[in-house]
Amino acid sequence: MPDEALQAAFEIKAACDDISRKLLRWHWEEKPGAHSVDALMKHLAQRQKESPDYYERLPELNGRTGWQQLDTTLCMRILLDPEKDAARPLDLLGNTPHPAAARRACNAVRMARNEAAHASDKTAAAQAAIRFNEAVEELEAGYEGTALTTGDLEKYYRLAEDFLSRCGASETIEPQKKAEDEAPRRQKSQKSGSTSRKRQSGGNRAASGRGTSGRSRNASGRNSRSRQNMQTTARRKKRQRTQSRALTVVLLAVVLLGLLVRAWTMGLMK
């Protein structure tokens, strides 16, 4: 592993420790109650008894009397403590303006520090540099104007750029940024295309609707004319039946009249 990348990984770890101390100290001093390191150590000892599984494999705590003696492992274990079985939960991250962003930032710093601590080659150091750069972005979202000033963030961004350059990760991060920048444009283009397709589909449906409506009106017209023709035919047949019955009655009357006349004539002849 080149000396430059090794040195950069060491500095990433130190920067993460510095950030972690700032975050924990800010949270600790914002909460009600005592704000000393001694009070923090007492709280930590109590939590170790309550949650031995969560606080296992911590570094030795004896003799830690100042903030500079705390590292990322210890700070983040306290900040990210779920406190499910705590007698007096503090909910340090929950008492921030942006709890979810603060939690993401703490996790990002912890991951960057772990990558740097275990870096064994240039590739691993580059990954640690990328993680640190991501952590700074998360810190800006979660802690700007609270635990970290604008000046702090500017300093960490400069460090991130330096680490990326020294670890040879700039070639990796630039394409990623370019892809991230292009992603919104692609989404916008896809949305535009989708909108266009929807409009076309809407036009086709409208045209189809108009065609269907036209066919419906045509069919309705044909049905109406058919009903009219049927009604006309029925009336014609009815008139024909009426006329036939009238003719039959007239013929019967004529026949009866003829029979009566014949009978009367025969009676006179006798």
Side-chain angles (χ1 to χ4, degrees), residues 80-122:
L80 296 170
D81 188 347
E83 298 184 320
K84 293 180 179 179
D85 47 9
R88 298 175 59 188
L90 298 179
D91 191 21
L92 296 176
L93 295 181
N95 293 324
T96 61
H98 309 289
R103 184 169 294 277
R104 287 194 298 270
C106 289
N107 274 311
V109 172
R110 180 179 59 83
M111 292 174 64
R113 204 267 189 185
N114 288 343
E115 290 281 357
H118 296 93
S120 58
D121 54 29
K122 186 176 181 179

Short mmCIF file of all heavy atoms in Angstrom, two decimals, residues 80-122:
data_model
loop_
_atom_site.label_atom_id
_atom_site.label_comp_id
_atom_site.label_asym_id
_atom_site.label_seq_id
_atom_site.Cartn_x
_atom_site.Cartn_y
_atom_site.Cartn_z
N LEU A 80 -25.84 6.45 18.96
CA LEU A 80 -26.75 5.54 18.24
C LEU A 80 -27.41 4.52 19.16
O LEU A 80 -28.06 3.59 18.68
CB LEU A 80 -25.97 4.83 17.13
CG LEU A 80 -25.43 5.74 16.02
CD1 LEU A 80 -24.48 4.97 15.11
CD2 LEU A 80 -26.56 6.34 15.22
N ASP A 81 -27.25 4.69 20.45
CA ASP A 81 -27.83 3.77 21.43
C ASP A 81 -29.37 3.74 21.28
O ASP A 81 -30.03 4.77 21.44
CB ASP A 81 -27.46 4.22 22.84
CG ASP A 81 -27.86 3.21 23.91
OD1 ASP A 81 -28.63 2.28 23.60
OD2 ASP A 81 -27.40 3.37 25.06
N PRO A 82 -29.97 2.57 20.99
CA PRO A 82 -31.44 2.51 20.88
C PRO A 82 -32.16 2.70 22.21
O PRO A 82 -33.35 3.03 22.23
CB PRO A 82 -31.69 1.12 20.30
CG PRO A 82 -30.49 0.32 20.67
CD PRO A 82 -29.33 1.28 20.68
N GLU A 83 -31.45 2.47 23.32
CA GLU A 83 -31.98 2.70 24.68
C GLU A 83 -33.30 1.96 24.94
O GLU A 83 -34.17 2.47 25.64
CB GLU A 83 -32.17 4.20 24.93
CG GLU A 83 -30.88 5.00 24.87
CD GLU A 83 -31.08 6.47 25.21
OE1 GLU A 83 -32.10 7.04 24.78
OE2 GLU A 83 -30.23 7.03 25.92
N LYS A 84 -33.44 0.77 24.37
CA LYS A 84 -34.68 0.02 24.55
C LYS A 84 -34.90 -0.40 26.01
O LYS A 84 -36.03 -0.48 26.47
CB LYS A 84 -34.68 -1.21 23.65
CG LYS A 84 -34.74 -0.88 22.16
CD LYS A 84 -34.74 -2.14 21.33
CE LYS A 84 -34.82 -1.81 19.84
NZ LYS A 84 -34.80 -3.03 18.99
N ASP A 85 -33.81 -0.69 26.70
CA ASP A 85 -33.93 -1.15 28.09
C ASP A 85 -33.30 -0.15 29.07
O ASP A 85 -32.91 -0.52 30.17
CB ASP A 85 -33.28 -2.52 28.25
CG ASP A 85 -31.90 -2.58 27.60
OD1 ASP A 85 -31.41 -1.52 27.17
OD2 ASP A 85 -31.33 -3.68 27.51
N ALA A 86 -33.22 1.11 28.67
CA ALA A 86 -32.61 2.12 29.53
C ALA A 86 -33.60 2.57 30.60
O ALA A 86 -34.78 2.81 30.31
CB ALA A 86 -32.15 3.32 28.71
N ALA A 87 -33.11 2.69 31.82
CA ALA A 87 -33.97 3.17 32.91
C ALA A 87 -34.31 4.65 32.71
O ALA A 87 -35.42 5.10 33.00
CB ALA A 87 -33.27 2.96 34.25
N ARG A 88 -33.32 5.41 32.21
CA ARG A 88 -33.54 6.84 31.95
C ARG A 88 -33.03 7.18 30.55
O ARG A 88 -31.93 7.69 30.37
CB ARG A 88 -32.80 7.68 33.00
CG ARG A 88 -33.29 7.45 34.43
CD ARG A 88 -32.43 8.22 35.42
NE ARG A 88 -32.45 9.65 35.15
CZ ARG A 88 -31.66 10.54 35.76
NH1 ARG A 88 -30.78 10.12 36.66
NH2 ARG A 88 -31.75 11.82 35.47
N PRO A 89 -33.82 6.88 29.52
CA PRO A 89 -33.37 7.15 28.15
C PRO A 89 -33.17 8.64 27.89
O PRO A 89 -33.96 9.47 28.34
CB PRO A 89 -34.51 6.59 27.29
CG PRO A 89 -35.70 6.56 28.18
CD PRO A 89 -35.18 6.30 29.56
N LEU A 90 -32.11 8.95 27.16
CA LEU A 90 -31.80 10.35 26.84
C LEU A 90 -32.31 10.75 25.46
O LEU A 90 -32.64 11.91 25.23
CB LEU A 90 -30.28 10.57 26.91
CG LEU A 90 -29.62 10.33 28.27
CD1 LEU A 90 -28.12 10.56 28.17
CD2 LEU A 90 -30.22 11.25 29.33
N ASP A 91 -32.33 9.79 24.53
CA ASP A 91 -32.76 10.06 23.15
C ASP A 91 -32.04 11.28 22.60
O ASP A 91 -32.65 12.27 22.19
CB ASP A 91 -34.28 10.26 23.11
CG ASP A 91 -34.81 10.28 21.67
OD1 ASP A 91 -34.13 9.75 20.77
OD2 ASP A 91 -35.91 10.82 21.45
N LEU A 92 -30.72 11.21 22.59
CA LEU A 92 -29.92 12.36 22.17
C LEU A 92 -30.21 12.79 20.73
O LEU A 92 -30.38 13.97 20.45
CB LEU A 92 -28.43 12.03 22.33
CG LEU A 92 -27.95 11.78 23.76
CD1 LEU A 92 -26.48 11.38 23.77
CD2 LEU A 92 -28.16 13.02 24.63
N LEU A 93 -30.28 11.82 19.83
CA LEU A 93 -30.53 12.16 18.43
C LEU A 93 -31.97 12.63 18.21
O LEU A 93 -32.25 13.43 17.31
CB LEU A 93 -30.24 10.96 17.52
CG LEU A 93 -28.78 10.50 17.47
CD1 LEU A 93 -28.64 9.33 16.51
CD2 LEU A 93 -27.87 11.63 17.04
N GLY A 94 -32.88 12.13 19.03
CA GLY A 94 -34.28 12.52 18.88
C GLY A 94 -34.56 13.95 19.27
O GLY A 94 -35.58 14.52 18.89
N ASN A 95 -33.64 14.56 20.02
CA ASN A 95 -33.82 15.94 20.47
C ASN A 95 -33.15 16.94 19.54
O ASN A 95 -32.78 18.04 19.96
CB ASN A 95 -33.28 16.11 21.89
CG ASN A 95 -34.10 15.31 22.90
OD1 ASN A 95 -35.31 15.20 22.77
ND2 ASN A 95 -33.43 14.75 23.90
N THR A 96 -32.99 16.57 18.27
CA THR A 96 -32.38 17.46 17.29
C THR A 96 -33.44 17.95 16.30
O THR A 96 -34.51 17.35 16.20
CB THR A 96 -31.27 16.73 16.50
OG1 THR A 96 -31.87 15.62 15.82
CG2 THR A 96 -30.19 16.22 17.43
N PRO A 97 -33.17 19.02 15.57
CA PRO A 97 -34.15 19.50 14.58
C PRO A 97 -34.45 18.47 13.50
O PRO A 97 -35.55 18.42 12.98
CB PRO A 97 -33.47 20.75 13.99
CG PRO A 97 -32.50 21.20 15.03
CD PRO A 97 -32.02 19.95 15.70
N HIS A 98 -33.44 17.64 13.15
CA HIS A 98 -33.62 16.65 12.08
C HIS A 98 -33.09 15.29 12.56
O HIS A 98 -31.98 14.88 12.20
CB HIS A 98 -32.88 17.08 10.82
CG HIS A 98 -33.20 18.49 10.39
ND1 HIS A 98 -34.42 18.84 9.85
CD2 HIS A 98 -32.46 19.62 10.44
CE1 HIS A 98 -34.42 20.13 9.58
NE2 HIS A 98 -33.25 20.63 9.92
N PRO A 99 -33.86 14.57 13.38
CA PRO A 99 -33.38 13.31 13.96
C PRO A 99 -32.94 12.28 12.94
O PRO A 99 -31.90 11.64 13.10
CB PRO A 99 -34.59 12.82 14.77
CG PRO A 99 -35.40 14.04 15.04
CD PRO A 99 -35.22 14.92 13.85
N ALA A 100 -33.73 12.09 11.88
CA ALA A 100 -33.38 11.07 10.88
C ALA A 100 -32.08 11.43 10.17
O ALA A 100 -31.22 10.57 9.94
CB ALA A 100 -34.52 10.91 9.88
N ALA A 101 -31.93 12.70 9.81
CA ALA A 101 -30.70 13.14 9.13
C ALA A 101 -29.51 13.02 10.07
O ALA A 101 -28.40 12.66 9.65
CB ALA A 101 -30.87 14.58 8.65
N ALA A 102 -29.71 13.32 11.34
CA ALA A 102 -28.62 13.20 12.32
C ALA A 102 -28.18 11.74 12.46
O ALA A 102 -26.98 11.44 12.53
CB ALA A 102 -29.08 13.75 13.67
N ARG A 103 -29.14 10.83 12.47
CA ARG A 103 -28.80 9.41 12.58
C ARG A 103 -28.04 8.93 11.34
O ARG A 103 -27.07 8.18 11.45
CB ARG A 103 -30.07 8.58 12.79
CG ARG A 103 -29.82 7.09 13.01
CD ARG A 103 -31.09 6.40 13.46
NE ARG A 103 -31.50 6.86 14.78
CZ ARG A 103 -31.02 6.37 15.92
NH1 ARG A 103 -30.10 5.41 15.90
NH2 ARG A 103 -31.44 6.83 17.08
N ARG A 104 -28.47 9.37 10.17
CA ARG A 104 -27.75 9.00 8.94
C ARG A 104 -26.32 9.53 8.97
O ARG A 104 -25.38 8.85 8.54
CB ARG A 104 -28.49 9.52 7.71
CG ARG A 104 -29.77 8.78 7.38
CD ARG A 104 -30.26 9.12 5.99
NE ARG A 104 -30.57 10.53 5.85
CZ ARG A 104 -31.77 11.06 6.09
NH1 ARG A 104 -32.76 10.29 6.52
NH2 ARG A 104 -31.99 12.35 5.92
N ALA A 105 -26.16 10.75 9.45
CA ALA A 105 -24.83 11.35 9.52
C ALA A 105 -23.92 10.57 10.47
O ALA A 105 -22.75 10.29 10.15
CB ALA A 105 -24.94 12.81 9.96
N CYS A 106 -24.44 10.20 11.63
CA CYS A 106 -23.64 9.44 12.60
C CYS A 106 -23.23 8.09 12.03
O CYS A 106 -22.09 7.65 12.18
CB CYS A 106 -24.43 9.27 13.89
SG CYS A 106 -24.62 10.79 14.85
N ASN A 107 -24.16 7.43 11.38
CA ASN A 107 -23.84 6.13 10.76
C ASN A 107 -22.80 6.29 9.66
O ASN A 107 -21.91 5.44 9.50
CB ASN A 107 -25.11 5.49 10.20
CG ASN A 107 -25.86 4.68 11.25
OD1 ASN A 107 -25.29 3.86 11.95
ND2 ASN A 107 -27.16 4.93 11.36
N ALA A 108 -22.90 7.37 8.89
CA ALA A 108 -21.95 7.60 7.80
C ALA A 108 -20.55 7.84 8.35
O ALA A 108 -19.55 7.33 7.80
CB ALA A 108 -22.40 8.78 6.95
N VAL A 109 -20.44 8.61 9.42
CA VAL A 109 -19.13 8.87 10.04
C VAL A 109 -18.55 7.57 10.60
O VAL A 109 -17.36 7.27 10.43
CB VAL A 109 -19.26 9.93 11.15
CG1 VAL A 109 -17.95 10.05 11.93
CG2 VAL A 109 -19.65 11.28 10.56
N ARG A 110 -19.39 6.78 11.25
CA ARG A 110 -18.93 5.50 11.81
C ARG A 110 -18.41 4.57 10.71
O ARG A 110 -17.36 3.93 10.86
CB ARG A 110 -20.09 4.84 12.56
CG ARG A 110 -19.75 3.50 13.19
CD ARG A 110 -20.96 2.96 13.94
NE ARG A 110 -22.10 2.77 13.05
CZ ARG A 110 -22.28 1.71 12.27
NH1 ARG A 110 -21.37 0.73 12.25
NH2 ARG A 110 -23.35 1.61 11.50
N MET A 111 -19.13 4.51 9.59
CA MET A 111 -18.70 3.64 8.49
C MET A 111 -17.40 4.12 7.86
O MET A 111 -16.53 3.31 7.52
CB MET A 111 -19.82 3.57 7.43
CG MET A 111 -21.07 2.84 7.91
SD MET A 111 -22.42 2.92 6.71
CE MET A 111 -21.71 2.03 5.33
N ALA A 112 -17.26 5.44 7.71
CA ALA A 112 -16.03 5.98 7.13
C ALA A 112 -14.83 5.67 8.03
O ALA A 112 -13.75 5.30 7.55
CB ALA A 112 -16.17 7.49 6.94
N ARG A 113 -15.04 5.80 9.32
CA ARG A 113 -13.95 5.53 10.27
C ARG A 113 -13.55 4.05 10.24
O ARG A 113 -12.37 3.71 10.26
CB ARG A 113 -14.41 5.94 11.67
CG ARG A 113 -13.27 6.25 12.64
CD ARG A 113 -12.86 5.07 13.46
NE ARG A 113 -11.93 5.45 14.51
CZ ARG A 113 -11.34 4.59 15.30
NH1 ARG A 113 -11.56 3.28 15.16
NH2 ARG A 113 -10.50 4.99 16.24
N ASN A 114 -14.56 3.17 10.16
CA ASN A 114 -14.26 1.73 10.09
C ASN A 114 -13.50 1.38 8.82
O ASN A 114 -12.57 0.57 8.84
CB ASN A 114 -15.56 0.93 10.16
CG ASN A 114 -16.18 0.94 11.55
OD1 ASN A 114 -15.51 1.27 12.53
ND2 ASN A 114 -17.46 0.59 11.63
N GLU A 115 -13.91 1.98 7.69
CA GLU A 115 -13.20 1.73 6.43
C GLU A 115 -11.75 2.17 6.54
O GLU A 115 -10.84 1.46 6.08
CB GLU A 115 -13.89 2.48 5.29
CG GLU A 115 -15.25 1.94 4.88
CD GLU A 115 -15.16 0.71 4.00
OE1 GLU A 115 -14.02 0.31 3.64
OE2 GLU A 115 -16.21 0.15 3.67
N ALA A 116 -11.54 3.34 7.12
CA ALA A 116 -10.17 3.86 7.23
C ALA A 116 -9.33 3.02 8.19
O ALA A 116 -8.14 2.76 7.94
CB ALA A 116 -10.21 5.31 7.70
N ALA A 117 -9.94 2.57 9.29
CA ALA A 117 -9.20 1.80 10.28
C ALA A 117 -8.76 0.44 9.74
O ALA A 117 -7.73 -0.09 10.17
CB ALA A 117 -10.05 1.61 11.53
N HIS A 118 -9.52 -0.12 8.80
CA HIS A 118 -9.21 -1.45 8.28
C HIS A 118 -8.62 -1.41 6.87
O HIS A 118 -8.47 -2.45 6.23
CB HIS A 118 -10.47 -2.32 8.27
CG HIS A 118 -11.01 -2.59 9.64
ND1 HIS A 118 -11.98 -1.80 10.24
CD2 HIS A 118 -10.69 -3.54 10.56
CE1 HIS A 118 -12.26 -2.27 11.44
NE2 HIS A 118 -11.49 -3.32 11.67
N ALA A 119 -8.28 -0.23 6.39
CA ALA A 119 -7.72 -0.12 5.04
C ALA A 119 -6.35 -0.79 4.98
O ALA A 119 -5.48 -0.52 5.81
CB ALA A 119 -7.61 1.35 4.64
N SER A 120 -6.18 -1.67 4.01
CA SER A 120 -4.91 -2.40 3.89
C SER A 120 -4.26 -2.22 2.52
O SER A 120 -3.17 -2.72 2.29
CB SER A 120 -5.14 -3.90 4.14
OG SER A 120 -6.10 -4.40 3.23
N ASP A 121 -4.93 -1.52 1.62
CA ASP A 121 -4.35 -1.25 0.31
C ASP A 121 -4.95 0.04 -0.23
O ASP A 121 -5.81 0.66 0.39
CB ASP A 121 -4.58 -2.41 -0.66
CG ASP A 121 -6.04 -2.80 -0.78
OD1 ASP A 121 -6.91 -1.92 -0.60
OD2 ASP A 121 -6.32 -3.98 -1.04
N LYS A 122 -4.48 0.43 -1.40
CA LYS A 122 -4.93 1.71 -1.97
C LYS A 122 -6.42 1.69 -2.29
O LYS A 122 -7.12 2.70 -2.11
CB LYS A 122 -4.13 2.01 -3.23
CG LYS A 122 -4.42 3.39 -3.81
CD LYS A 122 -3.53 3.69 -5.00
CE LYS A 122 -3.83 5.08 -5.55
NZ LYS A 122 -2.97 5.42 -6.71
#
